[in-house]
Each structure stands twice: as C-alpha cells, then as structure tokens.
C-alpha cells in the first residue's frame, strides 16, 4: 500500500509533523464516514487512502545514534539508517521498513529543510519507488555554485559551527534560521536538547554541502514535485529552491510569505498548503 512519509528538519524530530498527521487523520475519518476511503487514479481505479508515517532521522528523537564523525556523514548514510530503522524499536518508522528507501511499497515524500534534501536524494536513488515530492525549502546546499554569495553565506555558518562549542554552535544555527537572539530566548529545556543534538546538526551540514550529487543530476527525478520557499528565508535556502525549481522537470515552485522555519512555527499556515500539494499529485483524494 502506498504511504506518505515525512522527513523533518535538523534540530527537530518526527513530532514536527503532528499538525499534518492530524489533518490527514481527519481526512481519513471523513472518508471512512462517507465510505469513500479511496483516491482516484488517472485510470479511474480507486486506491486506499495512504497511511502517514513520520520518521525520526539519525541523531534526533528516537532515531538511530550518529556513529560516524560529523565530517564524514552523507545523505546516503541517512537513507541507509532509515533502511535499518527496525533495529531501533522506539523509532516511529521502525514498523514501516517496507516503505523505507528502496522498499517494495511506493511512497509520496514530504520533507522540510534537511529532510527535504534527504527526500530528494531518496527520489534520485530509488525513482521507481517515489511517486511524488512535497518539499519546503530543501537545503541541498551542494547545488549552490562555488564563490557565490549564497554558498559563501552557508559555508560561513558551517565553519562557525565547526569551530565553536556545541552551545555556541547551536545558537549560531538557530539564530541563522530565525533571528539574532532567538536561541537565547528559548526555554532552558529546549536549549539543552539542541546543544545535545548539535553534533548531528554539523553532520547534516557536511552531508548537505559535501554531497557529491551535481545540480544537473536532479533532472533525472521525473515524479511530480511541489516545492515551496519562504520569501523571508535566508539567501542560501531561497537560492537552493530556485536552482532546484529550474532543474527538476516536473516541478511546481510556489513562494510563501513566511520564513524557513514556517513548517514548525506557522504549521497552521503551512499544513493546508502541504495537503493541497498532496492532492495535486493524487496522493490523497479530493473531499
């Protein structure tokens, strides 16, 4: 059975998608009440409404621990750990390895930031499995041309994180995606958790910047893509979105009056956009 699989951003976990999960549960309940729990295909054949699964990625939530040095971690390692999620019983993805990368079940992928970049790598590696992509600012920094302001901006942030303590690096990361001083205003428990996860954030950045896939290679992704970017986001992620939108052959590129962290801080605004995107590629039915 087809599934919708959601991949979260860095410094987050599967709970990021609770609003999307709730919206999809509501749709499923409505479809069951109407005895129309099916999505139409272009051929007119009805299929069950897909199950929704949100995974915890390496180093976050109940995901697998980071076992490689941060500088050596790559997106392929992230996909490999999803394939082995059954080894970590508390991961919400553990019971769904049939829809893991390369598995027998077809998937629609929803991804934000780092999760969006991982979703693109998944679609490129297993094109026969991935039926569609709904992405909010996938931070595939490796598609930024060298010596451009956008690439230099994010390389500087990555360098700052590598050179500082975990606490200082976490502050630099959070403030970059939000605004100066944002990290210091967070509750102590949130800051403590982010500091503990910071090494994986730096591993994520190495994966995103040092990924060997060239921008032109993403043209091989033939499935439908809906790509959102926030007009208030930093130059780096806006430029990545533009580059990908100009490369992916079946991409709808939409801007949103929001910032990079909107899927978390403005979920009430972003969730309906994600639902509409899934409907546009017939991942879920029209109700």
């Amino acid at each position: 059975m087809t599934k919708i699989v959601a991949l979260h951003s860095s410094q987050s976990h599967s709970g990021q998608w609770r609003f999307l999960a709730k919206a999809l549960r509501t749709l499923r309940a409505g479809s069951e009440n109407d005895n129309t729990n099916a999505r139409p295909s272009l051929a007119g054949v009805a299929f069950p409404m897909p199950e929704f699964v949100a995974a915890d990625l390496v180093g976050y939530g109940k995901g697998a621990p980071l076992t490689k040095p941060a500088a050596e971690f790559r997106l392929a390692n992230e996909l490999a750990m999803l394939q082995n999620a059954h080894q970590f019983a508390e991961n919400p993805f553990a019971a769904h390895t049939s829809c893991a990368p390369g598995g027998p079940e077809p998937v629609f992928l929803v991804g934000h930031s780092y999760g969006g970049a991982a979703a693109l790598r998944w679609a490129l590696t297993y094109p026969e499995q991935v039926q569609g992509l709904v992405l909010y600012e996938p931070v595939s920094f490796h598609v930024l041309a060298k010596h451009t302001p956008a690439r230099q901006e994010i390389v500087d942030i990555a360098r700052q994180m590598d050179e500082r303590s975990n606490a200082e690096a976490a502050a630099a990361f959070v403030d970059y995606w939000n605004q100066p001083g944002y990290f210091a205003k967070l509750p102590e428990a949130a800051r403590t958790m982010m500091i503990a996860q910071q090494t994986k954030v730096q591993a994520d950045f190495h994966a995103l910047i040092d990924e060997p896939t060239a921008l032109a290679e993403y043209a091989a992704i033939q499935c439908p893509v809906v790509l959102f970017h926030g007009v208030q986001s930093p130059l780096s992620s806006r430029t990545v979105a533009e580059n990908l939108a100009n490369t992916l052959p079946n991409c709808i590129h939409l801007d949103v009056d929001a910032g990079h962290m909107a899927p978390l801080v403005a979920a009430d605004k972003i969730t309906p956009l994600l639902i509409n995107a899934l409907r546009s590629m017939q991942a879920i039915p029209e109700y």
Side-chain angles (χ1 to χ4, degrees), residues 7 16-21 23-24 110-113 134-137 226-233 254-279 284:
L7 306 178
Q16 167 179 332
W17 301 109
R18 61 188 179 277
F19 290 97
L20 179 59
L24 290 170
V110 178
H112 168 222
S113 193
V134 177
L135 309 173
Y136 191 98
E137 288 198 9
V226 178
L227 173 60
F228 297 98
H229 86 270
V231 297
Q232 301 170 27
S233 296
L254 302 171
D255 59 36
V256 182
D257 186 15
H260 181 72
M261 301 307 296
L264 285 88
V265 302
D268 58 335
K269 181 177 186 177
I270 302 304
T271 299
L273 301 179
L274 302 178
I275 293 290
N276 287 339
L278 288 166
R279 280 182 172 142
I284 58 176

Side-chain angles (χ1 to χ4, degrees), residues 140-159:
S140 304
F141 297 132
H142 51 281
V143 306
L144 296 172
K146 293 183 178 180
H147 311 301
T148 57
R151 186 178 180 93
Q152 192 57 52
E153 178 180 283
I154 203 62
V155 167
D156 287 347
I157 292 295
R159 183 180 299 113

